[in-house]
Amino acid sequence: MDDHKGLALALGEAQRGYEEGGIPIGAALVATDGRVLGLGRNMRVQDGNPILHGETSCLQNAGRLPSSAYQGSTMYTTLSPCDMCTGACLLYGISRVVIGENKTFLGGEAYLKKRGVEVIVLDSPECRELMERFITEKPKVWNEDIGVEERVYTKENLEGIS
């Protein structure tokens, strides 16, 4: 699947989440043959579930799959993945992570690369605008989502954050 088409699926999920009053981060997991294995969006607000981020929601919606299903797959996500979602991609052996934007938040991209995952940042204005709008409207909800009291761009090299 073309990376822009894959990201469009994730962005559709993010927009749905925003319209539901949630955090607008969406994801799509696509197999090497172009089959969509799962779609998801951050559902922390809607479901009151602290670990249902875009990527983990996508994996949950994909259901139980054999490990071979993840080989060569691509996780499309509208925002740079947090530590938890980075770990989920690594756990399942997802080969590629295509990110809509990493200007509003920079997650575990360096760690993904270090572990051999291909990381592509498309720098999507649509993804960035949606996140900036949400962060402006609901800064406390955003900070809660990434586990901080004050807005940060990245948790890398910050002292005092546990």
Side-chain angles (χ1 to χ4, degrees):
M1 175 177 292
D2 171 85
D3 286 342
H4 292 282
K5 289 181 182 177
L7 183 61
L9 294 172
L11 183 56
E13 287 294 308
Q15 290 168 332
R16 252 179 93 191
Y18 180 81
E19 291 164 7
E20 295 169 347
I23 300 161
I25 302 169
L29 181 63
V30 178
T32 55
D33 65 4
R35 284 179 300 120
V36 176
L37 300 174
L39 298 172
R41 61 190 175 282
N42 187 305
M43 297 289 291
R44 291 187 72 249
V45 172
Q46 299 92 314
D47 286 2
N49 184 328
I51 62 171
L52 210 49
H53 284 197
E55 298 88 342
T56 56
S57 168
C58 179
L59 289 165
Q60 177 176 306
N61 291 336
R64 289 179 61 188
L65 298 171
S67 60
S68 61
Y70 301 102
Q71 294 174 359
S73 67
T74 300
M75 177 68 77
Y76 293 93
T77 180
T78 57
L79 184 65
S80 185
C82 72
D83 292 340
M84 177 176 64
C85 295
T86 293
C89 288
L90 292 171
L91 176 68
Y92 290 102
I94 294 168
S95 303
R96 298 176 74 235
V97 176
V98 176
I99 299 165
E101 67 99 355
N102 63 2
K103 303 290 189 255
T104 57
F105 179 77
L106 177 63
E109 294 174 33
Y111 190 55
L112 287 168
K113 289 176 186 176
K114 182 178 179 179
R115 295 284 302 272
V117 175
E118 180 184 3
V119 176
I120 298 167
V121 180
L122 296 180
D123 201 23
S124 162
E126 296 86 4
C127 291
R128 185 174 181 184
E129 290 166 11
L130 185 58
M131 274 309 301
E132 285 179 345
R133 183 177 348 136
F134 176 80
I135 291 169
T136 299
E137 292 171 357
K138 299 181 180 179
K140 289 182 182 181
V141 176
W142 169 241
N143 290 345
E144 176 188 312
D145 192 62
I146 60 171
V148 297
E149 293 296 319
E150 295 179 19
R151 184 172 179 192
V152 296
Y153 166 67
T154 179
K155 287 184 157 186
E156 296 296 318
N157 301 320
L158 290 179
E159 294 178 10
I161 293 183
S162 52

